[in-house]
Amino acid sequence: MTFTRYFIGLVAGLCGSVAFFAAVFFACAGVDNYRLVGLAWTVEKVREREHILDARSAPALIIVAGSSGLFGIDGGIIAKRSELPVINASTHAALSWQFIDRNILRRAMPGDTVLLPLEIPYFMQPPDFLNETNVEVAHTFGLDFFWSLSLSRKLEYVRQLSTSFLWGQIESSIAGSGEKATYGYYEFTTDAIGDIDTSQARTIPQQVQSSADNDYIPPMVFPYSGVCKSIEDLRDRGVKVIGTPSAIYLKDENVERYRSFLPQLARYFSDCGATFVYDKTGGHQHMSAMYDTVYHLTKDGRRLRTELLIAALCDQKAISCRN
C-alpha cells in the first residue's frame, strides 16, 4: 500500500511538472523581450526582412545569407547596376537553414534571383541544426518552426530552451517587453532595402582574431546540408539562384584549405542547378576590412567587397546589368 501511494505520488508529481513546463512553453511562445538585447536585435532583423519581402509587388534580386550578407554586402551598390531592384534579406546569428528557408526563402516569387553568399557552417550542418540562439529566436516568433520539426528535433528544441530565457519571456508577458536598446548593434539602422548602416563600425582585431581561432574549414560540402534542396525548390518555383563565397577573414594557416574548398563549393552549387560566381578574392578579406567577427565587415570593407562582387556578377553575366 505504501509503495502504491509512493508510485501514485511520483506519477502525479511527474505529470504536474510536465503540465507546468508545457504551460510555460506555450505561454512563452511569440513573446518579445527587449531585455535580451542580442536576441531582440536578431528577431528584429528577421521581421524587417519579412516585411520588405511581403510589401513588394515585383521580382527582385534578393541577397540571402547570415551576417556575412548583412554586414558584408551593400545592396545599394548592387542596385546601381542590377536591372532588378535589390533586397538584402540576410539575417544574423547563424540561424538554422530550415528557419531561413521557412521565413525568408519561401517569400521568393517567380522571376526573383536569389544570391546566396552563405557562410561555411551552412555546408557542414543539417538544415534543422539547433542551438540555443536558433531555438530562442524561433520561439520568439511563435510555434510554427517547432511544429515543422521531426519528433527527435522537437525534443532537442525543448532541451535547448534555457531557464533564463523562459523566465525572461514570462516576465515580458506580465510586465511588458521593455524598451529597445540604443547601443550595440542597435546603433546600426536599416534602410528600405534591408541594408544596415555600419558607419560607426571600426575594426576590433582581438574579436576578429578570436572568432578566427574558432573557425573551421571543412574538407568538403557535407551531404546532409539542406542548401541543395532549397535551391531545387526555388528553381521549381521559377526563381534563379546564384551562389558565391561569403566574405570571410581567415587565419594564415587556413587560407590554402579555404582555396581548396571553393572549387568543391562551386561544384556543389552547379550540381544543385545554381550558377556560381567568384570575385577575384574568393571572399577572403584582410583584417583592415573587418569589424568584430570573421564575417562582419566595416562600411569601407563592405563597399570594396561589394564592388568586386557586382563586377564579377556582371562580367560573368550571372545577372542582367546596366552599364
Side-chain angles (χ1 to χ4, degrees):
M1 192 69 174
T2 301
F3 174 78
T4 302
R5 288 178 179 174
Y6 172 79
F7 181 75
I8 292 172
L10 182 65
V11 171
L14 179 62
C15 291
S17 297
V18 170
F20 175 76
F21 178 82
V24 171
F25 177 85
F26 288 106
C28 290
V31 176
D32 287 314
N33 183 0
Y34 293 116
R35 299 174 188 85
L36 298 174
V37 176
L39 174 67
W41 192 79
T42 301
V43 169
E44 181 177 287
K45 294 309 108 180
V46 177
R47 284 187 178 142
E48 287 173 353
R49 278 128 189 80
E50 291 178 339
H51 175 73
I52 293 169
L53 290 168
D54 289 343
R56 71 200 174 104
S57 58
L61 170 60
I62 306 171
I63 304 158
V64 179
S67 54
S68 71
L70 187 61
F71 285 83
I73 295 181
D74 188 324
I77 291 175
I78 293 178
K80 292 176 181 177
R81 297 209 52 196
S82 170
E83 290 190 350
L84 286 174
V86 176
I87 296 171
N88 192 341
S90 299
T91 56
H92 180 59
L95 301 178
S96 77
W97 184 249
Q98 187 168 325
F99 183 87
I100 290 175
D101 189 69
R102 286 178 58 84
N103 288 63
I104 303 297
L105 292 179
R106 75 175 179 84
R107 288 174 157 84
M109 64 171 61
D112 280 341
T113 295
V114 171
L115 177 65
L116 298 177
L118 297 177
E119 297 86 346
I120 289 173
Y122 286 118
F123 303 102
M124 299 167 52
Q125 299 166 347
D128 57 357
F129 171 78
L130 298 175
N131 60 24
E132 190 172 297
T133 300
N134 293 168
V135 168
E136 290 177 357
V137 169
H139 211 66
T140 304
F141 274 85
L143 292 172
D144 286 351
F145 181 71
F146 172 78
W147 293 124
S148 76
L149 298 170
S150 65
L151 177 59
S152 64
R153 303 313 287 165
K154 284 185 174 75
L155 294 174
E156 177 63 14
Y157 180 108
V158 170
R159 190 185 74 82
Q160 292 284 354
L161 284 172
S162 67
T163 303
S164 60
F165 169 76
L166 292 173
W167 283 122
Q169 297 297 93
I170 291 173
E171 181 183 3
S172 292
S173 297
I174 297 170
S177 300
E179 298 294 326
K180 287 186 182 181
T182 56
Y183 57 89
Y185 289 159
Y186 270 104
E187 295 178 358
F188 305 145
T189 56
T190 304
D191 68 15
I193 67 170
D195 281 340
I196 58 173
D197 180 1
T198 55
S199 301
Q200 304 304 312
R202 300 290 182 269
T203 301
I204 308 174
Q206 299 89 340
Q207 287 187 217
V208 177
Q209 193 60 55
S210 176
S211 177
D213 288 342
N214 296 319
D215 216 19
Y216 172 69
I217 310 300
M220 59 180 286
V221 177
F222 290 9
Y224 47 69
S225 167
V227 175
C228 192
K229 184 178 185 305
S230 295
I231 292 171
E232 292 168 350
D233 289 345
L234 287 166
R235 292 180 66 245
D236 288 344
R237 288 157 46 201
V239 177
K240 180 178 180 178
V241 182
I242 303 170
T244 193
S246 69
I248 186 172
Y249 170 79
L250 298 163
K251 296 173 66 176
D252 291 343
E253 57 263 37
N254 281 335
V255 172
E256 286 304 317
R257 184 182 297 175
Y258 178 71
R259 288 174 178 164
S260 298
F261 175 72
L262 288 181
Q264 298 186 54
L265 189 61
R267 192 177 311 115
Y268 176 84
F269 273 93
S270 177
D271 289 347
C272 297
T275 303
F276 193 80
V277 171
Y278 292 92
D279 65 45
K280 66 181 183 180
T281 68
H284 181 206
Q285 306 295 312
H286 295 289
M287 176 64 81
S288 60
M290 308 312 295
Y291 169 37
D292 63 346
T293 80
V294 294
Y295 291 117
H296 294 182
L297 279 66
T298 62
K299 184 175 182 178
D300 286 342
R302 180 175 67 175
R303 174 181 56 79
L304 292 171
R305 184 277 201 278
T306 306
E307 288 172 350
L308 290 172
L309 177 58
I310 186 58
L313 289 167
C314 293
D315 292 346
Q316 297 172 40
K317 302 188 186 308
I319 64 173
S320 297
C321 296
R322 294 190 289 264
N323 295 326

